[in-house]
Amino acid sequence: MEPKNKITGAEAILLSLIKENVDVIFGYPGGAIMPLYDKLFDKNNELKHILVRHEQGAAHAAQAYAQVTGKTGVCFATSGPGATNLLTGITNANLDSIPVVFITAQVPSSLLGTDAFQETDMVSLSMPVTKWNCQVTCADEIPDAIAKAFFFATTGRPGPVLIDVTKDAQNELFEYSYKKIKSIRSYCIKPELNDKDINDAIQLIQISKKPLLFAGHGILLGNATNELKNFIAKTKIPTAVTLLGKTTVSEDDTAYVGMLGMHGNYAPNILTNEADLIIAAGMRFDDRVTGDINRYAKKAKIIHIDIDKAELNKNVKADLAIHADIKCFFNEITASLNYLSDEKWRNEFYVLHEKEEDKVIKKECFPEIGKIRAGEVIRLLSDKTGRDAIVVTDVGQNQMMGARYYQFKNPNSLITSGGLGTMGFGLPAAVGAQVGQPDKTVLLFTGDGGFQMTSQELGTIFQYNLPVKIIIFNNNFLGMVRQWQQLFNDRRYAETNMPTPDFPMMAKAFGIEGCVVSERENLNKTLDTMLKHNGPYLLEVKIEKEANVFPMIYPGKAVDEIILEN
Amino acid sequence: MEKELYTITAFSENHIGLLNRITIIFTRRHLNIESLTVSSTEMKGIHRFTIVVEASLDLIERVTNQIEKLPEVLRAAWYVNDDIVYREIALYKIPINYAIDRNIEQVLREYNARLVDIQNDFVIIEKTGHVEDTEKLYDVLKPYKILQFVRSGRISISKHKKELATYLSELPINEYIKE
Ligand SMILES: Cc1ncc(C[n+]2csc(CCOP(=O)(O)OP(=O)(O)O)c2C)c(N)n1
């Protein structure tokens, strides 16, 4: 007989998750985690479990769920292979700073270190790719471990955390109580913004003639899109975004001047090297953004604001490095600054953008001859969904096309793998996005290669009838790699050419509707059919095989050496 | 940028795995740790790491930031040798007959070393100082047939008036506070 006031470690995990406002878990069961799943069986009302088809999928789905809901993602996996299957997903969440709590099971503590069946040292394995992790070997450590996990995952610069729980800790009875954590002495959640920093920033802005604002992912993570909007409404400082900062500002905002980086827009890349002031807000000067760092933004003073002090002066030396919460920063500076950017400077962006429109965008989005192009499909879908869908992409050309040609307006409406560039991210992330936003249209743009890396998640989409619209751009190539081979390896297409299965037939095997479109004249109608379809849908679009993504900053080149065509 | 020897000091909570997290920061950047000392501090539950590493200032700054970024690290800072007083301790084991035959007393006096243990067949000598000092004594003792030699990692104390450690005394007693 169980003493009345005691519960098992497994049940304590679930109760603690409920206390942390968790309602969805992505996961996959196995031997070591059976006690936890057994307790989950009785908690169906409070905790919805999404059974994926591979633990990597659970990790990606949990991350996307976190991104579209603003909640913390939660993911379960068993010991050994279940846990190691998570690693790509954990790493992805880590590089993109997404709060996900991973709970992995472990062999009984008496067997730790004996190479027991399905024992892997998950704490060591996940150490370089988590913000924090720990192992729990007795039940009464569980509440504190979970409270810390949520605290670390969600505060400061968010990130994934992992708790490894031995099987005996799950089974052990103990007296449970739970309280959330309010503060931890070793960890500052909100650096204080000091007046001097704001005053210095104001001075730098006021003397600048050619200011440029970079809006990064930190603005979404810091819930500061409104504050950003107010700042640019007041100052009209041209605002460029990073890939993960794409949805920080609506694309029809007059200050919006496009995306930075290797396949970003022409104007902001060129003018980065003309600007006399760069305000880098919640971004980290990734090498895909900066190109050749020795020829990057040399004319500009740099104000860099980030909540993560280790990002300041890491890649680019800042003239003014501000360690602060981005929301506070924008609030303070908008209140005290009186500045309006010069119209001539703003116009320089429009002039350059016209060039890109003419040389690239028109051909990509409104072609009249040749095979269907990814850009035109995406632009059509952007219009047809009223720019209101959640767009998930895989990695490669499809990703750059999705980011470039869907005309985003809502914060957090682009879910893409930025830091890690994980092929196979797309389909499971679409699962997570749709679970998190059941009433939204979720569009997945993926390639024929990346789709096949995690296509088993069609099973999950089928099981939960998630109305995801899957658009596979089939070029029969690993397109992005092929593009590099064309440009830099003399068209030697080593192992990038792949025959593909009948994708709609694959979908049908999972009970999912689908079709192929290869002619432009059928495109419109097919897209309408897909969007109107009540339930999941897979559309394979046969596109131009050797289409390239442009503009492009070639590797080793400077941002202002971006080119519009080959 | 030129490489130099730096000493990084970090204070942390006493948690399993933290040492690993810290060393990963170095291995990831292909940095070799010259010496590493971890010990408890005067404050219960708080540990001090003293890490000696040769690198460029630029890299040292970034590495120190990455260490301080770890959620369970309280503070981290770097120093050049001039900023700190530092020591290593070395122990030398010498056969007793050699020690008696060759007038060890003079060596001990000259090199400011101490005899810390005497057994039937060997003696143990201790010397504290910089690497160069303990190395020098090693050379001097070589003719004495050193049976064993061991040297600790560096410990250091900063010459700044407000040392990192003073901040320890201002820390909350509890590691965390619940709602
Ligand atoms: C897991 C993984 N393996 C390899 C790569 C390298 N890679 C980047 S893009 C790409 C090609 C992607 O091809 P496909 O999925 O067909 O998409 P496309 O570029 O054609 O749109 C490859 C192989 C990667 N990013 N991730």
Side-chain angles (χ1 to χ4, degrees):
Chain A
M1 274 294 286
E2 290 183 9
K4 273 248 170 60
N5 52 348
K6 289 193 173 187
I7 62 167
T8 68
E11 191 171 357
I13 292 175
L14 300 178
L15 293 179
S16 307
L17 293 178
I18 292 167
K19 287 258 169 62
E20 294 286 351
N21 301 322
V22 173
D23 45 16
V24 177
I25 297 159
F26 299 87
Y28 207 92
I33 204 167
M34 282 182 66
L36 186 56
Y37 273 86
D38 186 57
K39 292 294 174 191
L40 188 61
F41 197 69
D42 300 325
K43 293 265 179 312
N44 267 339
N45 292 336
E46 294 126 298
L47 292 168
K48 179 174 172 146
H49 181 274
I50 303 290
L51 178 65
V52 293
R53 294 300 181 268
H54 184 293
E55 290 86 351
Q56 181 188 347
H60 292 327
Q63 145 163 20
Y65 176 85
Q67 286 179 272
V68 301
T69 59
K71 296 185 185 174
T72 308
V74 177
C75 191
F76 286 176
T78 195
S79 69
T84 55
N85 272 348
L86 291 176
L87 280 169
T88 304
I90 300 174
T91 311
N92 194 89
N94 192 47
L95 276 167
D96 289 349
S97 313
I98 311 297
V100 182
V101 173
F102 291 92
I103 295 179
T104 53
Q106 184 55 277
V107 300
S109 53
S110 58
L111 295 181
L112 283 173
T114 64
D115 298 318
F117 179 63
Q118 294 194 331
E119 183 197 1
T120 36
D121 181 0
M122 198 53 194
V123 171
S124 292
L125 278 173
S126 63
M127 203 168 267
V129 295
T130 49
K131 181 171 170 186
W132 176 86
N133 67 4
C134 76
Q135 186 173 62
V136 168
T137 54
C138 51
D140 61 15
E141 294 168 1
I142 286 174
D144 277 8
I146 293 187
K148 277 190 189 176
F150 276 84
F151 186 77
F152 285 137
T154 53
T155 52
R157 176 177 181 173
V161 297
L162 182 140
I163 308 174
D164 196 46
V165 190
T166 58
K167 194 169 184 178
D168 49 326
Q170 295 173 53
N171 281 324
E172 194 187 343
L173 288 165
F174 77 119
E175 273 172 42
Y176 170 77
S177 75
Y178 192 82
K179 282 210 171 88
K180 289 190 193 183
I181 280 182
K182 214 165 76 181
S183 71
I184 295 190
R185 66 179 172 189
S186 61
Y187 181 75
C188 156
I189 51 174
K190 217 178 207 180
E192 239 174 82
L193 177 61
N194 57 54
D195 293 345
K196 181 168 183 332
D197 283 341
I198 288 290
N199 290 336
D200 290 352
I202 289 176
Q203 277 189 3
L204 284 173
I205 294 171
Q206 253 149 6
I207 56 169
S208 76
K209 305 237 154 16
K210 299 180 169 186
L212 182 49
L213 174 67
F214 292 169
H217 191 198
I219 292 172
L220 295 173
L221 295 169
N223 241 323
T225 50
N226 278 331
E227 290 71 15
L228 169 71
K229 196 166 146 192
N230 295 339
F231 176 78
I232 55 187
K234 188 166 182 185
T235 60
K236 303 246 182 330
I237 293 178
T239 303
V241 296
T242 63
L243 175 65
L244 291 188
K246 188 82 220 222
T247 61
T248 51
V249 48
S250 173
E251 292 190 21
D252 50 17
D253 194 301
T254 50
Y256 175 77
V257 294
M259 181 168 78
L260 298 164
M262 184 170 261
H263 290 293
N265 292 103
Y266 192 59
N269 275 306
I270 298 253
L271 294 176
T272 291
N273 277 4
E274 282 306 311
D276 65 1
L277 177 72
I278 284 170
I279 306 164
M283 56 87 72
R284 60 187 177 92
F285 293 106
D286 180 81
D287 54 281
R288 284 291 192 265
V289 160
T290 62
D292 180 4
I293 199 108
N294 297 314
R295 292 182 288 154
Y296 183 72
K298 288 296 171 207
K299 295 182 190 167
K301 292 259 186 238
I302 291 174
I303 304 176
H304 191 180
I305 312 102
D306 206 286
I307 196 156
D308 178 1
K309 201 169 136 207
E311 287 302 340
L312 302 172
N313 295 315
K314 186 182 85 174
N315 296 337
V316 168
K317 281 259 173 281
D319 297 275
L320 177 58
I322 303 182
H323 181 209
D325 176 75
I326 201 70
K327 194 178 183 126
C328 296
F329 171 80
F330 277 129
N331 268 336
E332 293 283 315
I333 199 153
T334 311
S336 346
L337 179 69
N338 268 316
Y339 180 84
L340 189 65
S341 77
D342 173 34
E343 199 179 334
K344 262 203 345 243
W345 167 239
R346 276 181 266 145
N347 275 334
E348 285 187 45
F349 290 86
Y350 302 126
V351 172
L352 289 174
H353 191 72
E354 283 307 303
K355 271 196 180 169
E356 181 179 342
E357 191 76 46
D358 189 49
K359 287 258 185 338
V360 181
I361 299 172
K362 236 166 46 196
K363 289 177 190 161
E364 187 59 46
C365 293
F366 311 101
E368 274 152 18
I369 48 164
K371 289 258 204 151
I372 298 179
R373 302 188 70 94
E376 69 178 308
V377 178
I378 294 165
R379 190 53 68 84
L380 275 171
L381 284 170
S382 184
D383 293 343
K384 286 180 192 294
T385 55
R387 303 170 52 212
D388 194 42
I390 289 176
V391 172
V392 182
T393 79
D394 205 76
V395 162
Q397 293 182 319
N398 60 83
Q399 173 183 35
M400 291 301 122
M401 292 294 186
R404 286 180 54 81
Y405 298 119
Y406 196 88
Q407 297 183 307
F408 296 93
K409 69 173 180 188
N410 303 325
N412 294 308
S413 59
L414 171 62
I415 307 300
T416 194
S417 166
L420 194 61
T422 313
M423 278 174 75
F425 172 79
L427 192 64
V431 167
Q434 191 76 76
V435 170
Q437 294 283 357
D439 300 327
K440 281 260 178 189
T441 301
V442 172
L443 300 174
L444 167 66
F445 299 129
T446 179
D448 47 305
F451 177 78
Q452 291 185 77
M453 280 203 172
T454 49
S455 57
Q456 70 278 357
E457 298 307 333
L458 287 174
T460 313
I461 289 176
F462 162 67
Q463 179 174 348
Y464 298 96
N465 194 27
L466 300 169
V468 174
K469 311 300 179 205
I470 303 161
I471 297 103
I472 302 178
F473 292 116
N474 189 353
N475 48 18
N476 283 103
F477 270 115
L478 298 175
M480 188 56 99
V481 179
R482 185 212 55 74
Q483 174 169 344
W484 282 52
Q485 289 172 331
Q486 177 189 339
L487 299 175
F488 312 120
N489 291 4
D490 211 11
R491 272 214 161 86
R492 287 149 51 86
Y493 292 161
E495 304 300 320
T496 44
N497 194 333
M498 55 157 78
T500 49
D502 182 333
F503 287 118
M505 185 125 95
M506 248 176 109
K508 274 182 196 115
F510 286 94
I512 295 170
E513 282 292 315
C515 79
V516 182
V517 60
S518 49
E519 304 302 327
R520 179 162 294 117
E521 65 211 44
N522 300 331
L523 185 57
N524 231 314
K525 198 176 72 219
T526 318
L527 294 181
D528 288 336
T529 310
M530 173 182 78
L531 290 175
K532 267 192 223 119
H533 181 76
N534 188 9
Y537 198 91
L538 184 148
L539 176 63
E540 175 183 354
V541 188
K542 303 262 194 205
I543 57 166
E544 187 65 52
K545 281 182 175 236
E546 293 183 71
N548 289 332
V549 187
F550 274 102
M552 182 170 181
I553 304 166
Y554 283 4
K557 297 288 181 193
V559 276
D560 57 353
E561 292 172 320
I562 186 169
I563 56 173
L564 288 170
E565 53 198 350
N566 189 23
Chain B
M1 245 194 239
E2 241 175 274
K3 286 189 176 180
E4 221 187 304
L5 210 57
Y6 291 91
T7 303
I8 297 175
T9 307
F11 293 100
S12 79
E13 301 291 348
N14 174 20
H15 286 170
I16 297 179
L18 202 53
L19 173 62
N20 213 351
R21 273 200 185 265
I22 289 178
T23 52
I24 284 171
I25 292 174
F26 292 90
T27 46
R28 228 187 118 181
R29 291 167 179 79
H30 204 78
L31 277 174
N32 196 10
I33 293 177
E34 302 288 333
S35 101
L36 167 67
T37 309
V38 190
S39 56
S40 54
T41 63
E42 62 273 31
M43 181 127 173
K44 202 170 161 265
I46 304 256
H47 275 207
R48 176 203 282 262
F49 290 71
T50 307
I51 306 162
V52 181
V53 72
E54 192 181 54
S56 65
L57 174 58
D58 195 46
L59 201 49
I60 288 295
E61 280 179 341
R62 274 187 278 162
V63 162
T64 309
N65 279 337
Q66 292 295 336
I67 294 174
E68 192 167 68
K69 173 173 165 174
L70 296 174
E72 290 169 337
V73 168
L74 297 139
R75 274 293 185 85
W78 57 265
Y79 304 95
V80 293
N81 284 348
D82 285 348
D83 292 341
I84 49 178
V85 173
Y86 60 98
R87 292 287 183 271
E88 286 100 17
I89 183 166
L91 299 174
Y92 313 73
K93 189 194 280 180
I94 287 167
I96 195 147
N97 50 332
Y98 280 81
I100 294 168
D101 290 353
R102 297 184 177 218
N103 198 8
I104 194 89
E105 186 270 342
Q106 195 186 334
V107 177
L108 295 181
R109 203 157 23 84
E110 201 169 310
Y111 289 88
N112 220 347
R114 312 195 291 146
L115 201 62
V116 290
D117 194 26
I118 303 174
Q119 296 290 333
N120 279 339
D121 41 5
F122 60 83
V123 298
I124 295 174
I125 293 166
E126 175 201 298
K127 160 128 193 90
T128 323
H130 290 185
V131 176
E132 306 84 65
D133 307 329
T134 51
E135 218 138 72
K136 186 90 176 289
L137 182 59
Y138 182 90
D139 291 338
V140 170
L141 289 175
K142 230 178 192 168
Y144 291 72
K145 292 275 171 305
I146 298 172
L147 296 170
Q148 224 182 314
F149 166 73
V150 55
R151 184 164 48 211
S152 73
R154 173 181 288 193
I155 58 165
S156 74
I157 219 162
S158 115
K159 291 183 194 166
H160 302 308
K161 202 155 175 213
K162 184 164 165 100
E163 224 258 319
L164 261 189
T166 47
Y167 145 94
L168 283 187
S169 56
E170 293 154 16
L171 265 185
I173 306 278
N174 292 321
E175 186 191 332
Y176 49 84
I177 299 170
K178 294 188 178 173
E179 279 183 353

